[in-house]
Amino acid sequence: MSAGTTTCEACGASDVHAYPRARTSGRVIVRCRSCGLRFLSNPEDAAAIHDFYDEYDRELFELYANARRSSMLDVVWRETIERISELLGGSAGRTLFDVGSGGADFLALARDAGYEVSGSELAPGAVEVAKETHDIDLHLGDLPTIEGSNLYDSVTMWCVLAHVSDPDELLTECLRLLKPGGVLFMQTPRWSAMDGAALAVSKATGGRASRVIDRRVSDTHMRLHSKSSMRQTLERLGFEVIATESRVRYSLETTHYLASLGVPERMRTPISSSVDSLLKRDAFFRNVLDVFARKPLG
Ligand SMILES: [Zn+2]
């Protein structure tokens, strides 16, 4: 696909710029000059994504779960549940649905906070872990396989939007599931200075050194939002945007992240101790957006 025929999936603008194709991955990243969205012009289709998660058995899921920065996630999850409760005017008797729940650790905290919880997941290994660890029965499948509408006071998604081939469809399904006045929360990756630097390295090497940018924008991470592209997407689909906030939030332990980038083992410890000290001071790149939006009452 050439830049001339691509339009921005967030705002619809045709003023987009395609970066050179990465040699290793064959990926083409496109930047919207109007809203700042970065997205893949040649993403995986929905069937390939389903196949990827079908393969995600218990062993693979546990490898991923053990690489997470659990102490940080716990704090972030509790703060987010509190914010949602404030927006809803309390948690008592409220229903919360988490899309792509993983092992349901977030849902278990929401249940402790007073919510009646449920969720969905594509990875069979995660559904097993959620049942055994928290006695939570997740729906194995995506949202179109759930019937009904106006069901939940809150719908939440932790890093799901970047992983789907059709983000508009996903958000429209969330709108269907939410009760009028209900609150959507999403965490989704944002374009940061780190990505700009990684892309510059990839360009300077003619696409050869593209490992970092491929890790950030890849088959399973197909778009990095800006505040503007997020707001325009949600408003176009009928949400009222409450807040878009950029955050420093690296969900994987730094050594695991460096390993996934192909950094040699002997270099991982020194690099990760410097990165971790920056993370502690909230001084690293703001890599995600926290988004709160509401389904209109009328
Ligand atoms: Zn745009």
Side-chain angles (χ1 to χ4, degrees):
M1 193 183 290
S2 77
T5 59
T6 305
T7 55
C8 173
E9 62 175 34
C11 75
S14 51
D15 187 14
V16 297
H17 170 74
Y19 294 107
R21 186 179 296 270
R23 276 200 204 170
T24 46
S25 65
R27 292 291 160 217
V28 177
I29 300 171
V30 177
R31 171 172 72 96
C32 173
R33 287 193 176 99
S34 175
C35 75
L37 181 76
R38 269 74 168 189
F39 60 104
L40 284 182
S41 72
N42 49 349
E44 291 282 309
D45 63 17
I49 294 166
H50 264 272
D51 288 347
F52 173 83
Y53 286 105
D54 283 347
E55 297 295 313
Y56 232 77
D57 61 9
R58 177 139 194 168
E59 198 181 338
L60 276 174
F61 177 73
E62 283 174 350
L63 274 176
Y64 154 76
N66 291 333
R68 287 179 312 177
R69 204 183 293 274
S70 311
S71 54
M72 177 212 68
L73 287 173
D74 213 62
V75 173
V76 168
W77 286 336
R78 286 176 204 275
E79 284 173 358
T80 304
I81 291 163
E82 239 169 75
R83 286 279 299 276
I84 294 169
S85 300
E86 278 167 23
L87 291 168
L88 290 174
S91 61
R94 300 289 196 179
T95 48
L96 182 147
F97 187 96
D98 186 46
V99 183
S101 310
D105 295 337
F106 169 72
L107 280 178
L109 289 179
R111 183 175 59 188
D112 292 346
Y115 287 92
E116 190 185 310
V117 298
S118 47
S120 65
E121 178 50 55
L122 293 181
V127 174
E128 270 177 44
V129 170
K131 178 68 182 170
E132 273 175 38
T133 316
H134 300 298
D135 196 24
I136 292 176
D137 289 298
L138 298 177
H139 174 81
L140 179 64
D142 51 19
L143 298 187
T145 60
I146 296 171
E147 285 177 25
S149 55
N150 306 330
L151 301 173
Y152 303 105
D153 294 296
S154 183
V155 171
T156 56
M157 293 195 281
W158 293 91
C159 201
V160 177
L161 192 69
H163 293 257
V164 301
S165 55
D166 189 341
D168 280 10
E169 182 198 58
L170 175 65
L171 289 168
T172 303
E173 290 291 316
C174 292
L175 202 58
R176 168 175 70 89
L177 294 177
L178 275 171
K179 292 179 186 172
V183 170
L184 173 77
F185 165 78
M186 285 189 285
Q187 175 194 283
T188 198
R190 78 180 275 272
W191 182 265
S192 75
M194 173 179 66
D195 301 298
L199 189 61
V201 170
S202 172
K203 276 163 82 174
T205 59
R208 279 187 299 274
S210 61
R211 225 194 268 262
V212 174
I213 195 66
D214 283 357
R215 176 71 176 71
R216 285 280 290 167
V217 186
S218 67
D219 291 353
T220 55
H221 243 185
M222 296 182 267
R223 61 194 59 83
L224 301 182
H225 270 281
S226 66
K227 287 185 178 183
S228 169
S229 62
M230 196 68 259
R231 183 171 285 274
Q232 290 190 55
T233 299
L234 289 167
E235 286 175 352
R236 175 169 52 74
L237 297 171
F239 286 93
E240 289 166 4
V241 177
I242 299 167
T244 55
E245 300 161 356
S246 24
R247 301 270 182 212
V248 181
R249 194 173 296 147
Y250 294 81
S251 306
L252 294 183
E253 291 290 352
T254 310
T255 47
H256 288 280
Y257 194 75
L258 293 172
S260 78
L261 294 177
V263 172
E265 200 167 356
R266 67 193 157 76
M267 291 169 66
R268 284 178 213 156
T269 307
I271 295 175
S272 68
S273 64
S274 351
V275 170
D276 286 345
S277 81
L278 290 171
L279 289 177
K280 266 193 208 110
R281 290 183 283 127
D282 214 29
F284 207 56
F285 301 106
R286 295 181 180 274
N287 61 327
V288 300
L289 281 179
D290 275 359
V291 183
F292 296 87
R294 205 184 281 278
K295 176 171 176 172
L297 276 171

